[in-house]
Amino acid sequence: MDEKQAKPRRPLWFWLFVGLGVVVLIFGLGAPRALSNASEEEVTYDVFLTALEEGKVQEVELKSGTLYYTLKEAAQPAPTAAPQLNFGFRTLAGSGRKTTVYTVTAMDDPDLVNRLHAAGVTFSENPGTGNMLLLVLIQYAVPILFYVAIFSFLFRRMGKLGAGGGLMGGLGKSNARSIEGGEVKTTFADVAGQDEAKESLQEIVSYLHNPQEYTEIGARMPRGALLIGPPGTGKTLMARAVAGEAGVPFLSISGPEFVELFVGMGASKVRDLFKEAREKAPCIVFIDEIDAIGKKRDGFGGNDEREQTLNQLLSEMDGFEGNSGVVVLAATNRPESLDKALLRPGRFDRRVPVELPDQGGREAILRIHCNRIKTEGEIDLAAIARITPGASGADLANVINEAALCAVRSGRHAVTQKDLEDSVDVALAGKQRKSMVISQREKEIIAYHEVGHALVAAKQKGASPVHKITIIPRTSGALGFTMQADEDERFLMDKQEAFAKIVTLTGGRAAEELCFDSVTTGASNDIEQATSIARAMITRYGMSESFGMTAFEQMVNPYLGNDTTMNCSQETAARIDREVIALIDKAYDQAKTILKDNRSKLDEIAHVLIARETITGQEFMDILNAPVALPVSPEAKPE
Ligand code: ADP
Ligand code: MG
Ligand code: ZN
């Protein structure tokens, strides 16, 4: 099977030859056409001999086992008054004279030549085909070549449609990007944080360096390692680093590249990939985004092409022996969707989680990327790491790049700490919309809203400290935001903290209602977030008295968004809704109480914010803790 699939593409000359062969075949079978101007009559050999004996034969020609002969003028059945003609066969055609040419199958007659000579007959043998060949070529070959050309063009077009692999052209190519050993320059030093993942993979690296050590003991290397984690955490980067560290050839292909227009093509690509890998062993095969082909096979009319590809992958991974030196790495952010068969020991038996970086990890990633750009002044990457909880490696790389772009835009030659901080805001809420005109009243509402959040956060136990408050509109649609940042990373959230979060989120709307006696659309995002936390507390975290530790919702895919599925009766769902509403109401009341108790500080800070548009957490705390009110600009009086 392999050989068949791996047939090289046939060049055009191949088809030319096939065409020519067909021409020759047809020509060989066909009757000679140069005699078309003469009438032909087939006779038996004895008729020919009699004519010869009677001296009636004028001329004889032997061609491919057939004798062609003509009779003398006088012997013609219907003689016409004709001038003397050159009677050579080659000039027969076009002579205008109707002549009967008799054909007879030649027999093994060694005496014939003597007899012909004695009878004074002109005779010849015509082995060639003369200009008849040209005629036949034009009649048959040209149209055949024409069709061959059209078909080969169409097939090639079809092949291109099938994403790279041509029906005639690309058959037997795996499309894997192959990088020779030692050419990958990425190493573990380029991957910050992720120490556990590196450790897991280090073993594979040292196996590829020194396989004997493992075979001696009888250890079998894991054939495959599956890197799993949210997007942008450095899975692809890590796989390249393994190749760079091991210094072996690196065959990389992305899962979606296996999925082809034609059923069976993906499977053949897998075959070719592993064939190539076995030839190059020791080497690393890396299949990125493997969920594209590794999805669970289910009973409901699955995708044939994908299943065949998966089956081929499964059997290939079983195919090579324990220590063949081929290590398969794969990456995915949807591990829960992978087929169980793919995960059983002997295939991807090692799972390497590549999680979002913690605070230290973020700082390390920032440092790696920061080393590639020019900076000036004091750069505090720890501070940036503190305000970017939940950011992935890719996000952080982007923050650094944005900062560099920002520096260039403002005509500077190096990046400052402020560039970095602004860049975080851009990543969080989009670019500033300086052109947006906001009325004074709206500006006041926005300021009170944001200070409401900040003040409620500051006055509660368990809420994160305020880092920054701003009322500059952003391209994401946010009219302002309050950024909170923990000093240290938090990994657990207790019930009180979760509730404090909801109270903080309701603080914006509470301030609006308290000071302007109106509610605006500005709180929609706060409401969404508050609701989802409240829901999660009740349905997933077991933080509700009436339900206790029962889960009513499950996370669908933890690495891509927080999609959940409900799993309870309608009656329970209605009760959950009522609890969610009650919880948020309670939080809202609490926020309002906090703001009422601190009304003067709310006014004071809001006015400072209106005047400056952005204040830091430190400035906020200074005003909050100041015993006496600082002077306030007179035009910004609350209503
Ligand atoms: P994934 O494959 O997990 O989606 P990538 O490996 O493609 O993510 O990462 C995208 C980019 O993010 C990398 O090219 C790198 O610049 C940056 N990055 C991600 N994680 C790290 C890390 N741990 N250390 C350094 N850079 C990282
Ligand atoms: Mg990737
Ligand atoms: Zn808000």
Side-chain angles (χ1 to χ4, degrees):
M1 198 65 180
D2 257 346
E3 273 56 48
K4 232 191 226 155
Q5 297 289 354
K7 223 181 269 174
R9 66 155 300 195
R10 285 156 177 163
L12 199 62
W13 61 258
F14 172 87
W15 296 104
L16 281 174
F17 267 98
V18 169
L20 222 72
V22 172
V23 167
V24 169
L25 206 68
I26 291 170
F27 170 74
L29 294 174
R33 302 214 144 218
L35 299 172
S36 56
N37 206 25
S39 64
E40 237 178 77
E41 193 180 327
E42 199 168 338
V43 295
T44 52
Y45 203 68
D46 62 295
V47 175
F48 165 64
L49 284 183
T50 315
L52 191 61
E53 270 159 28
E54 287 170 1
K56 286 184 194 162
V57 176
Q58 166 92 8
E59 193 175 346
V60 175
E61 189 173 311
L62 176 67
K63 196 162 92 187
S64 13
T66 308
L67 283 170
Y68 296 85
Y69 71 96
T70 51
L71 297 180
K72 285 191 180 136
E73 204 74 8
Q76 288 279 346
T80 42
Q84 264 313 103
L85 278 174
N86 176 358
F87 218 39
F89 267 86
R90 267 168 222 94
T91 53
L92 252 180
S95 70
R97 171 98 157 72
K98 194 94 166 118
T99 315
T100 309
V101 176
Y102 298 91
T103 65
V104 58
T105 311
M107 294 189 76
D108 188 16
D109 190 349
D111 237 16
L112 183 65
V113 174
N114 289 339
R115 259 183 283 166
L116 285 170
H117 190 62
V121 175
T122 326
F123 63 92
S124 63
E125 189 172 348
N126 187 357
T129 44
N131 46 14
M132 270 191 272
L133 177 65
L134 203 67
L135 200 73
V136 173
L137 264 178
I138 290 166
Q139 280 184 341
Y140 290 100
V142 171
I144 287 174
L145 287 181
F146 180 69
Y147 284 118
V148 167
I150 283 193
F151 273 105
S152 75
F153 173 72
L154 283 181
F155 275 136
R156 215 155 327 136
R157 282 291 299 270
M158 253 155 85
K160 288 224 179 79
L161 284 180
L167 196 59
M168 286 151 68
L171 215 61
K173 298 264 164 61
S174 67
N175 279 11
R177 281 172 299 280
S178 163
I179 302 171
E180 290 310 313
E183 275 183 23
V184 181
K185 294 282 175 273
T186 313
T187 63
F188 281 151
D190 294 310
V191 188
Q194 310 295 2
D195 292 331
E196 296 74 22
K198 277 191 216 170
E199 202 173 293
S200 281
L201 295 169
Q202 183 60 48
E203 203 165 48
I204 290 174
V205 172
S206 66
Y207 164 75
L208 288 168
H209 273 308
N210 196 0
Q212 300 92 298
E213 205 177 299
Y214 289 80
T215 38
E216 264 168 27
I217 262 190
R220 183 182 62 79
M221 222 21 233
R223 284 181 200 163
L226 184 62
L227 300 163
I228 52 179
T233 44
K235 298 181 293 298
T236 308
L237 187 70
M238 191 90 77
R240 293 183 66 84
V242 171
E245 291 280 331
V248 297
F250 184 64
L251 296 171
S252 91
I253 189 164
S254 176
E257 287 177 52
F258 285 115
V259 182
E260 282 284 354
L261 185 60
F262 301 109
V263 172
M265 294 285 283
S268 112
K269 280 188 172 182
V270 173
R271 248 191 318 270
D272 291 317
L273 177 67
F274 280 86
K275 195 173 156 216
E276 202 180 337
R278 272 189 290 267
E279 281 161 13
K280 289 196 170 161
C283 72
I284 293 172
V285 171
F286 176 51
I287 305 174
D288 210 353
E289 317 290 349
I290 194 171
D291 43 289
I293 50 168
K295 263 203 212 98
K296 281 194 186 88
R297 291 162 292 183
D298 49 26
F300 320 108
N303 177 339
D304 261 355
E305 164 64 353
R306 214 193 60 222
E307 286 191 5
Q308 282 192 22
T309 310
L310 175 59
N311 285 334
Q312 188 64 40
L313 181 65
L314 295 177
S315 76
E316 288 290 345
M317 289 197 73
D318 279 343
F320 51 86
E321 304 85 55
N323 288 309
S324 68
V326 178
V327 173
V328 185
L329 296 182
T332 181
N333 35 41
R334 311 194 51 190
E336 74 291 335
S337 78
L338 290 182
D339 200 278
K340 286 280 174 295
L342 206 51
L343 301 171
R344 78 137 166 79
R347 289 182 185 132
F348 290 112
D349 38 10
R350 185 163 290 198
R351 284 164 156 245
V352 181
V354 186
E355 295 288 345
L356 287 172
D358 57 13
Q359 198 165 311
R362 286 198 298 275
E363 194 181 334
I365 294 171
L366 286 167
R367 180 141 299 122
I368 281 188
H369 290 278
C370 208
N371 284 340
R372 296 177 189 159
I373 60 166
K374 267 196 211 161
T375 56
E376 74 186 356
E378 202 176 306
I379 300 286
D380 183 4
L381 292 177
I384 305 294
R386 223 175 295 132
I387 56 172
T388 47
S392 69
D395 292 333
L396 296 170
N398 192 39
V399 162
I400 299 280
N401 195 49
E402 265 310 317
L405 292 178
C406 175
V408 173
R409 231 178 285 132
S410 46
R412 278 174 285 114
H413 297 289
V415 170
T416 62
Q417 179 75 10
K418 182 161 184 312
D419 289 328
L420 289 172
E421 299 217 1
D422 288 350
S423 173
V424 172
D425 292 352
V426 170
L428 209 74
K431 290 205 165 67
Q432 297 187 355
R433 270 169 75 178
K434 297 210 183 73
S435 61
M436 197 162 162
V437 181
I438 296 178
S439 69
Q440 185 62 29
R441 183 183 152 79
E442 280 198 335
K443 213 169 169 184
E444 277 172 23
I445 294 178
I446 297 163
Y448 270 87
H449 177 109
E450 296 306 334
V451 176
H453 285 306
L455 201 58
V456 169
K459 289 289 171 189
Q460 279 183 104
K461 261 196 278 161
S464 314
V466 174
H467 177 77
K468 181 190 227 172
I469 313 170
T470 168
I471 52 166
I472 301 170
R474 299 274 167 170
T475 48
S476 68
L479 297 169
F481 60 85
T482 303
M483 196 193 266
Q484 289 170 270
D486 282 305
E487 195 53 41
D488 298 305
E489 187 118 30
R490 307 291 303 273
F491 301 99
L492 283 176
M493 183 164 65
D494 65 26
K495 190 176 167 183
Q496 191 193 0
E497 286 162 348
F499 184 67
K501 254 193 170 148
I502 301 176
V503 177
T504 305
L505 283 164
T506 55
R509 164 63 66 81
E512 284 178 40
E513 211 191 331
L514 196 67
C515 306
F516 298 93
D517 200 21
S518 76
V519 293
T520 68
T521 53
S524 65
N525 187 256
D526 300 335
I527 293 170
E528 247 170 60
Q529 283 188 49
T531 310
S532 89
I533 295 174
R535 255 202 123 68
M537 282 173 74
I538 294 162
T539 61
R540 295 194 356 246
Y541 301 144
M543 289 177 178
S544 129
E545 277 93 25
S546 52
F547 289 116
M549 282 179 53
T550 311
F552 300 108
E553 270 182 5
Q554 270 93 35
M555 293 287 263
V556 183
N557 43 10
Y559 292 131
L560 299 171
N562 292 328
D563 298 348
T564 54
T565 50
M566 274 292 249
N567 189 9
C568 61
S569 71
Q570 294 227 315
E571 198 187 318
T572 315
R575 270 178 67 201
I576 291 170
D577 289 341
R578 279 197 293 278
E579 280 220 14
V580 170
I581 294 167
L583 191 63
I584 293 177
D585 273 351
K586 191 175 148 203
Y588 186 59
D589 284 343
Q590 190 163 326
K592 269 214 280 209
T593 310
I594 291 173
L595 292 176
K596 266 184 204 147
D597 294 348
N598 295 278
R599 178 64 202 253
S600 62
K601 288 288 178 193
L602 174 62
D603 292 336
E604 193 184 337
I605 300 166
H607 294 146
V608 175
L609 184 60
I610 291 165
R612 296 200 211 155
E613 294 200 325
T614 300
I615 58 174
T616 65
Q618 193 56 52
E619 289 167 328
F620 168 77
M621 289 312 289
D622 287 348
I623 305 171
L624 191 58
N625 295 332
V628 282
L630 295 174
V632 168
S633 45
E635 78 274 30
K637 270 259 182 312
E639 287 170 36

